[in-house]
Amino acid sequence: MIETESGVFLEKTKKDEILTPETKIDKSVKPVLAMSNEKIVIETKTLDFYYNADAHALKNINIHIPDKKVTAFIGPSGCGKSTLLRCFNRMNDLISDAFHTGEILINGVDIYKEGTRLEDLRKQVGMVFQKSNPFPMSIWENVAFGPKVNGINDKDELNEIVESALKQGDLWREVKDRMQNSALDLSGGQQQRLCIARALANKPEIILMDEPASALDPISTGKIEETIEELKKNYTIVIVTHNMQQAARISDYTAFMMLGELIEVDLTKKIFTNPTQKLTEDYITGRFG
Amino acid sequence: MSTEHKTPKDFRRKVERADRWSRRVITTGGYGIIISIVSILLFLIYQSLPLAKGASINEILSMPATRSENPVVLTGVDPYLEVFYELDNRGSIKFYNVDSKALIKEDQLPLKANEKILTAAKGNLTKEIFTVGSDSGRLITSSIEMKPEYTKSGRTIEAMVYQEEEWQAATENDTIPNHIEKLTFVENSDGTRVWSWIDHTGKLWLRIYDAEDEEEYLYDLSEDISGQITSFSLSHNAENLVVALKDKNVYWFDISDFEKIQLKDRWTLETIADAVNYLLGDQAVAIGGQDGSVSVWFPVRSPANLFKFRKVHEFISHNAAIDQIYVSSRNRNFLTVDTKGNVKLHYSTTGQTQLEFKPADFPVTAAAFSPKSNAILVVDGQKRFSLYNLENPHPETTLKTLFGKVWYEGYPKEEFVWQSTGGSDEFESKLSLIPLIFGTFKGTLFAMFFSVPLAIFAAIYVSQFAPKRLARQIKPTIEIMAALPSVVIGFLAGLYFSPLFEEYLMVIFLFVILLPLFFLIALFIWQRIPEKMQARFPLGIEILFVIPIGIITLVFAMSFDHVVEQILFQGNFQQWLYSTLQITYETRNSLVVGFALGFAVIPIIFTVSEDAISNVPESLSSASLALGASKWQTVRRVVLPAASGGIFAAIMLGLGRAVGETMIVLMATGNTPIIDLNPFNGFRAMSACIAVEIPEAPVGGTLYRVLFFTGLLLFVFTFIVNTLSSLIGDRLRKKYARF
Ligand SMILES: Nc1ncnc2c1ncn2[C@@H]1O[C@H](COP(=O)(O)OP(=O)(O)OP(=O)(O)O)[C@@H](O)[C@H]1O
Ligand SMILES: [Mg+2]
């Protein structure tokens, strides 16, 4: 507001231009691929995302993400995988100049619908970050954090939740005797599994993972992959990865993105063996990326 | 080829040289800072250490037995410790040189043949005026002057004896003249002279010469007293007389009205007082007992509003009866001499016995303080003279007087008092640091009450909630506040804000109470506004609502202040305060200082804690938000604990600043050194006290050193605060801030 008048003026026109009613939802554009035979949990309709009026990060994304499956996002660096992932729990709202057009539906409901509580959405859509980020608190406090901020105060109930979350996160055996120790004393791999357990403690429906194993050694990575394998029975998982083998190993579906566009989505097997798009094949075979 | 090889080598050498030099410069700088801090500390210690030094004496003269058999009745020394005199019982006055021990002058009091001096007494603490009483009933008053004369060869002391007056006590018959057995004498600053003596029949007489009206009075006090008198003393202002009796009773006469001598009080001792003497200040009386006990008494106002003598200080006892007490003309020091020749030096106010020595194997017949109290002269029964240099720079300060309650003359009880200067020479400075320490902490406390919540909430708002653009404006603005010289803040607070505060006290009072209330109402209204409309306002616009709410509250407070004052405080808050709570309202009070000092520390606390909060990694708050925590939950449960070390350090830094801040507390308080938690009173802080008093304090004097000691204390406080802050801050950081 305190910027030069011309600055404010310019910014407004550009953003307003993007947000003209006609461009808001362009029904003419078809989704690249819809996995119609599955129950769909997340769905985007002509989603365009801007970090600011000059940074058009996602372009016309139409994707269906099926229930209780692992969907992997792959693509070259900077193509918008993380951006798209963060759209699903509205983490991008934190960026002050960012805005979007189009719709994001979870279970058929627009997550930007008036009256949506952000806290409820994020409880429903958990997230695991690339770099493990445990709170500087005890292990127990870390896992119990989500339930606590969402209103659960009963100690026994919390204990139960913590135990089951840690078991699902495959960390229970290692930490059950030192629940009150600082989470920061855990190894890197353990910390990341703690973050997974922390997300699970909220009993989410969907878990978003942004390169959860990229900073870890192969053994820790293996453990995380096992955990994901185990989790997909109960959760819808969306994972961003740079590791093609990892995508091939753990995911049921793979989405390939480039320069903010969704190029192709299909069964992982199909993408890795017989992609429809030339770009996808080039990327998979390592001709660029 | 060769040149190509040379360049990288040269370059490496250059880099190494630069490395070496920068290391040296940095090391020098680091050590320089440490050295300068340590030297400040050492200087403060060096300046205040002499306070801890006790009294000591060393003999500078010992002149063995003399030429005549006649015992010495009076002795004294000149201010430069060059000449001393003796007066023997035949009236012969002899002056001796201290260095050469040579007789330099001799004089004679006008005694008749065979007339003997039985008693002699000095009448003034600063002048060598004295009276002798003889066996033929005469009171002969003379004075001695030992004046320095400056010649080319240096300073010589010119000694003179002046005859002042003679007086003959009435005798009943000529064959048995009226002996003057024991005598005290005083000449006060007006020139009024009072003599009091016992004759051979045991009667106590009082003779007064009123210099103003040139009138004489003579009283026989025996009518009021029954029993044998052991000792008596006149106060140096010629207003009081105390008389001790063999039956252990002590009588206190008020003789200030020469026409009407009044018996004011009578009390009983546990021992027979063989020696009593008024100390400097004319309040306290030192009493030496037959059992060797030494105590100081002075009148204390009783609940019935009468003054009664009370025993206030007790000192280390002698092993024999005390028969003489000598009083210093400079301070509350006095000497007690017992019959076996032991001498002790006491300091009244502190209750301390500072020294003990035995000049000879023979009883002491006479002693004296030098005029500057820097030497003690003692004559023993064998006419041996000893002169001691007395090194006693700060007898009035002990740990007890600095930090404990002291019972000062004229006070009803033991108290912490800071009163460094008074009207007269007899004034005793009272240097208790407790009121100053209290003042410092009172000011700091009020400042912290005001500044800590404000600064920390501001820091939280700016770093977590404010729109980025607004935050970028607020931060430097608050930081500019730190650049405001504290003298400006102090000036504004003391001269402008405090009268305003007094005038609008009710308005401010109402404003502070109503503001949160109005905020809640505004918040309630805001929540009623449909979300769609809320969303139309840019993020962070709420800050713009604060201003109108503030204005509305102010208008409200200003229009209702009289009504509220009328209803709650009977129309006048200050009068109500005084009549119901016995609290007087001072214009420059602690609240005003709290605001001003708080204003000065807000920037520090804000800046440091804002940095600490901003430095909490975003990944932590993202994690919290992603778990469904609200913004406020995230701040409270994740961000603030993680920043707690830094916030703590910020508060401690602010505390350190507030403790040491000088100009504001100097200008915005009345600087009254009182101990009272009441917010409408002023106080005196250590730093302000140093600033106020050091220009007036004589270099090397007690006040000077006590002020340096205060500085040392401040240094230590700041040191403790900083050490604590870094220790606790480190622990908090270890616990919460390992990211
Ligand atoms: N906060 C931001 N502000 C502006 N532009 C951003 C911001 N974050 C990301 N971008 C830009 O948006 C584009 C997509 O970024 P994104 O992080 O989604 O890529 P990515 O596919 O996750 O890449 P990587 O594989 O390297 O993580 C990039 O060009 C990036 O520079
Ligand atoms: Mg990414």
Side-chain angles (χ1 to χ4, degrees):
Chain A
M1 259 151 286
I2 309 155
E3 226 154 64
T4 58
E5 255 191 64
S6 60
V8 174
F9 183 70
L10 255 174
E11 197 179 68
K12 276 211 167 149
T13 44
K14 194 140 190 196
K15 188 171 167 183
D16 285 346
E17 231 167 66
I18 295 166
L19 289 176
T20 47
E22 306 90 72
T23 57
K24 242 185 184 166
I25 297 171
D26 189 353
K27 300 282 181 194
S28 65
V29 183
K30 289 245 159 52
V32 175
L33 206 146
M35 294 157 281
S36 47
N37 55 337
E38 307 265 6
K39 185 190 168 214
I40 301 304
V41 177
I42 307 176
E43 181 182 359
T44 67
K45 287 184 183 163
T46 60
L47 176 67
D48 275 60
F49 182 86
Y50 304 80
Y51 277 109
N52 52 58
D54 294 319
H56 194 175
L58 296 177
K59 294 165 191 156
N60 190 26
I61 305 289
N62 295 279
I63 190 167
H64 291 176
I65 291 176
D67 190 27
K68 306 253 171 6
K69 289 278 171 335
V70 177
T71 306
F73 288 175
I74 60 170
S77 183
C79 67
K81 307 180 293 289
S82 301
T83 308
L84 180 56
L85 197 71
R86 285 202 304 265
C87 281
F88 299 152
N89 67 346
R90 289 178 59 176
M91 279 308 266
N92 285 327
D93 287 14
L94 296 176
I95 298 156
S96 50
D97 289 331
F99 62 98
H100 73 280
T101 63
E103 278 180 354
I104 306 161
L105 311 172
I106 288 183
N107 292 329
V109 181
D110 185 353
I111 60 171
Y112 279 94
K113 202 183 84 179
E114 201 179 296
T116 312
R117 276 195 68 226
L118 209 51
E119 289 83 18
D120 292 340
L121 171 72
R122 289 180 182 157
K123 184 177 176 298
Q124 187 188 6
V125 186
M127 188 165 206
V128 176
F129 297 80
Q130 176 174 4
K131 215 174 140 263
S132 66
N133 52 0
F135 300 125
M137 310 168 185
S138 71
I139 294 168
W140 190 92
E141 286 286 347
N142 261 279
V143 183
F145 186 90
K148 267 187 174 173
V149 296
N150 286 297
I152 297 174
N153 287 314
D154 184 56
K155 188 92 184 183
D156 292 332
E157 195 181 347
L158 285 173
N159 276 332
E160 224 167 87
I161 292 171
V162 169
E163 182 174 341
S164 100
L166 283 170
K167 277 180 176 157
Q168 291 181 69
D170 197 18
L171 196 62
W172 175 250
R173 261 183 313 109
E174 289 154 75
V175 302
K176 66 170 186 285
D177 298 324
R178 44 172 175 152
M179 298 291 274
Q180 295 312 320
N181 287 16
S182 171
L184 301 171
D185 293 337
L186 296 173
S187 77
Q190 286 173 327
Q191 287 190 10
Q192 192 59 298
R193 274 179 285 144
L194 180 71
C195 291
I196 295 174
R198 186 173 65 183
L200 294 174
N202 259 346
K203 303 194 173 129
E205 213 182 313
I206 302 158
I207 303 171
L208 311 173
M209 296 185 178
D210 193 350
E211 304 185 44
S214 68
L216 301 178
D217 62 290
I219 293 174
S220 300
T221 307
K223 280 221 151 191
I224 301 262
E225 285 178 12
E226 274 169 37
T227 310
I228 293 171
E229 203 69 43
E230 200 53 42
L231 289 175
K232 77 171 174 194
K233 291 173 194 154
N234 301 312
Y235 303 92
T236 303
I237 295 173
V238 187
I239 182 168
V240 172
T241 178
H242 263 124
N243 184 330
M244 230 69 75
Q245 284 78 27
Q246 188 174 62
R249 270 198 303 273
I250 59 172
S251 68
D252 304 300
Y253 291 92
T254 298
F256 172 60
M257 294 175 71
M258 223 179 99
L259 296 173
E261 284 180 80
L262 186 59
I263 307 297
E264 187 175 358
V265 187
D266 212 324
L267 284 167
T268 301
K269 223 185 295 162
K270 175 123 191 295
I271 293 271
F272 279 92
T273 52
N274 184 20
T276 355
Q277 302 288 321
K278 175 86 173 50
L279 274 172
T280 317
E281 190 175 352
D282 288 352
Y283 182 72
I284 302 269
T285 50
R287 241 161 278 170
F288 71 91
Chain B
M1 275 303 261
S2 63
T3 48
E4 268 173 47
H5 271 283
K6 210 180 154 198
T7 322
K9 227 187 209 166
D10 268 6
F11 179 69
R12 207 178 310 129
R13 213 175 290 143
K14 224 170 153 187
V15 168
E16 272 167 15
R17 203 180 312 131
D19 262 12
R20 229 175 8 251
W21 272 105
S22 55
R23 199 177 322 125
R24 268 181 216 151
V25 169
I26 289 166
T27 317
T28 319
Y31 278 113
I33 286 172
I34 293 173
I35 288 169
S36 55
I37 287 175
V38 169
S39 16
I40 289 172
L41 184 66
L42 287 180
F43 179 69
L44 290 176
I45 292 174
Y46 169 77
Q47 287 294 351
S48 42
L49 208 58
L51 286 175
K53 233 161 85 186
S56 65
I57 49 168
N58 69 308
E59 201 177 60
I60 50 173
L61 165 85
S62 175
M63 195 165 84
T66 52
R67 312 114 266 252
S68 90
E69 289 298 301
N70 304 331
V72 174
V73 291
L74 206 71
T75 185
V77 63
D78 84 293
Y80 301 99
L81 307 184
E82 287 179 17
V83 171
F84 68 95
Y85 71 88
E86 62 161 316
L87 165 64
D88 67 22
N89 72 340
R90 289 297 182 168
S92 162
I93 302 172
K94 298 194 182 75
F95 294 92
Y96 299 97
N97 187 294
V98 170
D99 287 332
S100 63
K101 300 178 187 174
L103 178 71
I104 51 172
K105 188 169 179 165
E106 202 171 347
D107 214 317
Q108 178 67 39
L109 292 184
L111 293 191
K112 293 176 201 144
N114 292 330
E115 189 177 8
K116 260 204 246 174
I117 295 171
L118 298 179
T119 174
K122 290 191 193 175
N124 198 292
L125 288 171
T126 50
K127 246 163 69 180
E128 294 286 326
I129 185 167
F130 60 89
T131 296
V132 298
S134 76
D135 58 359
S136 52
R138 286 210 299 164
L139 296 174
I140 303 170
T141 304
S142 311
S143 62
I144 285 177
E145 209 175 53
M146 291 176 281
K147 233 171 46 190
E149 294 274 323
Y150 295 94
T151 59
K152 280 200 186 103
S153 57
R155 185 177 58 207
T156 54
I157 303 294
E158 192 72 27
M160 300 289 284
V161 179
Y162 300 99
Q163 302 306 322
E164 301 276 341
E165 75 157 323
E166 279 179 45
W167 187 78
Q168 175 71 54
T171 44
E172 276 150 27
N173 56 52
D174 286 336
T175 46
I176 314 169
N178 205 343
H179 288 188
I180 310 286
E181 295 282 353
K182 202 165 181 184
L183 165 82
T184 68
F185 162 55
V186 153
E187 186 193 73
N188 74 4
S189 49
D190 306 332
T192 294
R193 293 172 182 175
V194 180
W195 297 263
S196 176
W197 68 95
I198 343 176
D199 65 15
H200 64 284
T201 61
K203 274 189 172 173
L204 181 67
W205 295 87
L206 184 70
R207 178 177 166 240
I208 300 168
Y209 169 72
D210 182 352
E212 229 169 278
D213 301 341
E214 297 186 12
E215 289 221 40
E216 264 191 56
Y217 307 86
L218 184 67
Y219 295 99
D220 178 3
L221 295 178
S222 316
E223 292 154 22
D224 296 312
I225 300 167
S226 51
Q228 193 188 331
I229 294 165
T230 54
S231 57
F232 48 103
S233 172
L234 284 161
S235 69
H236 310 287
N237 57 3
E239 289 182 359
N240 299 284
L241 169 68
V242 289
V243 183
L245 268 65
K246 191 133 201 171
D247 61 5
K248 300 181 182 173
N249 279 332
V250 182
Y251 291 77
W252 173 27
F253 291 96
D254 180 354
I255 60 169
S256 53
D257 182 355
F258 303 139
E259 314 211 317
K260 196 163 163 284
I261 306 302
Q262 253 185 337
L263 178 63
K264 265 193 116 166
D265 188 20
R266 203 194 71 181
W267 75 98
T268 311
L269 302 173
E270 287 144 22
T271 172
I272 301 166
D274 276 355
V276 298
N277 210 338
Y278 260 101
L279 300 181
L280 183 71
D282 296 327
Q283 294 259 333
V285 175
I287 295 183
Q290 210 164 60
D291 60 353
S293 64
V294 183
S295 53
V296 162
W297 299 62
F298 53 72
V300 173
R301 196 191 287 272
S302 71
N305 211 15
L306 289 172
F307 282 98
K308 295 253 176 214
F309 263 89
R310 285 192 53 175
K311 177 152 81 178
V312 179
H313 304 294
E314 221 168 329
F315 303 84
I316 298 173
S317 291
H318 286 252
N319 292 323
I322 289 160
D323 63 348
Q324 296 156 52
I325 293 178
Y326 297 94
V327 174
S328 159
S329 63
R330 283 294 168 102
N331 51 34
R332 263 58 171 180
N333 262 133
F334 62 98
L335 282 177
T336 50
V337 180
D338 70 21
T339 49
K340 285 185 182 160
N342 285 304
V343 181
K344 285 185 183 180
L345 176 72
H346 314 273
Y347 196 83
S348 160
T349 312
T350 59
Q352 267 198 332
T353 301
Q354 294 190 288
L355 270 181
E356 183 176 356
F357 60 104
K358 195 163 192 285
D361 295 332
F362 308 98
V364 172
T365 53
F369 275 102
S370 72
K372 290 178 178 169
S373 280
N374 57 350
I376 297 168
L377 184 65
V378 182
V379 193
D380 71 15
Q382 295 291 307
K383 293 200 69 173
R384 204 167 69 170
F385 283 83
S386 308
L387 184 61
Y388 300 91
N389 227 332
L390 173 62
E391 190 74 45
N392 193 17
H394 311 291
E396 67 268 52
T397 45
T398 60
L399 279 184
K400 168 110 201 325
T401 63
L402 288 177
F403 296 107
K405 286 188 171 179
V406 179
W407 198 335
Y408 288 104
E409 290 163 19
Y411 281 73
K413 57 181 191 321
E414 288 189 301
E415 265 174 69
F416 299 113
V417 190
W418 175 277
Q419 196 183 0
S420 57
T421 44
S424 67
D425 288 345
E426 283 107 63
F427 174 80
E428 185 181 19
S429 47
K430 304 168 182 68
L431 306 176
S432 170
L433 295 182
I434 299 297
L436 308 183
I437 295 172
F438 178 88
T440 292
F441 284 104
K442 185 180 179 187
T444 307
L445 199 75
F446 276 89
M448 296 314 263
F449 266 143
F450 169 63
S451 61
V452 167
L454 263 180
I456 288 180
F457 279 121
I460 293 172
Y461 175 74
V462 167
S463 62
Q464 298 292 314
F465 294 96
K468 288 263 148 37
R469 236 182 269 133
L470 190 64
R472 273 203 295 273
Q473 309 278 331
I474 293 178
K475 223 185 146 187
T477 311
I478 295 184
E479 275 160 8
I480 279 177
M481 273 169 64
L484 210 61
S486 59
V487 64
V488 174
I489 301 177
F491 175 78
L492 286 177
L495 275 89
Y496 183 71
F497 182 57
S498 58
L500 215 65
F501 188 85
E502 186 172 5
E503 195 180 340
Y504 293 106
L505 191 63
M506 241 23 252
V507 177
I508 292 167
F509 176 75
L510 268 183
F511 183 75
V512 169
I513 289 176
L514 289 180
L515 196 63
L517 195 78
F518 277 51
F519 257 108
L520 285 179
I521 294 169
L523 215 64
F524 184 76
I525 294 169
W526 172 258
Q527 275 174 347
R528 295 288 117 150
I529 297 174
E531 245 177 87
K532 241 192 208 152
M533 265 173 76
Q534 272 185 29
R536 277 223 229 120
F537 296 110
L539 200 69
I541 194 77
E542 3 11 303
I543 196 76
L544 289 182
F545 285 96
V546 173
I547 296 158
I549 289 173
I551 291 172
I552 290 169
T553 318
L554 191 65
V555 168
F556 199 84
M558 283 180 82
S559 41
F560 286 97
D561 62 331
H562 289 299
V563 180
V564 173
E565 200 167 9
Q566 207 68 45
I567 295 168
L568 289 180
F569 305 115
Q570 299 155 6
N572 188 327
F573 177 69
Q574 284 162 37
Q575 243 166 43
W576 176 86
L577 204 64
Y578 186 72
S579 57
T580 43
L581 301 176
Q582 271 73 50
I583 290 171
T584 36
Y585 183 92
E586 276 179 42
T587 306
R588 295 183 193 170
N589 57 46
S590 308
L591 281 179
V592 172
V593 186
F595 282 131
L597 199 53
F599 192 76
V601 290
I602 279 175
I604 299 180
I605 302 180
F606 169 81
T607 311
V608 177
S609 49
E610 204 273 343
D611 281 347
I613 296 170
S614 305
N615 281 340
V616 174
E618 228 180 286
S619 68
L620 284 187
S621 37
S622 301
S624 167
L625 291 171
L627 284 167
S630 67
K631 184 76 197 169
W632 175 238
Q633 279 175 323
T634 302
V635 168
R636 194 165 54 85
R637 289 171 183 250
V638 177
V639 178
L640 288 184
S644 58
I647 294 174
F648 181 79
I651 294 173
M652 285 313 227
L653 271 177
L655 194 77
R657 166 93 201 264
V659 165
E661 176 53 52
T662 310
M663 284 323 286
I664 293 174
V665 283
L666 182 71
M667 301 180 83
T669 64
N671 283 310
T672 37
I674 47 168
I675 302 184
D676 193 343
L677 260 179
N678 161 19
F680 300 109
N681 270 343
F683 57 83
R684 178 183 285 208
M686 293 195 276
S687 52
C689 186
I690 296 175
V692 168
E693 306 220 356
I694 203 94
E696 309 280 325
V699 175
T702 304
L703 177 61
Y704 179 85
R705 300 211 186 280
V706 168
L707 290 175
F708 268 94
F709 182 65
T710 311
L712 182 64
L713 271 188
L714 263 180
F715 192 102
V716 170
F717 278 146
T718 329
F719 185 78
I720 289 173
V721 165
N722 285 351
T723 311
L724 267 185
S725 89
S726 66
L727 280 183
I728 299 176
D730 267 5
R731 289 191 80 180
L732 287 173
R733 228 164 285 140
K734 272 211 190 95
K735 192 158 173 219
Y736 291 115
R738 297 191 332 205
F739 24 72

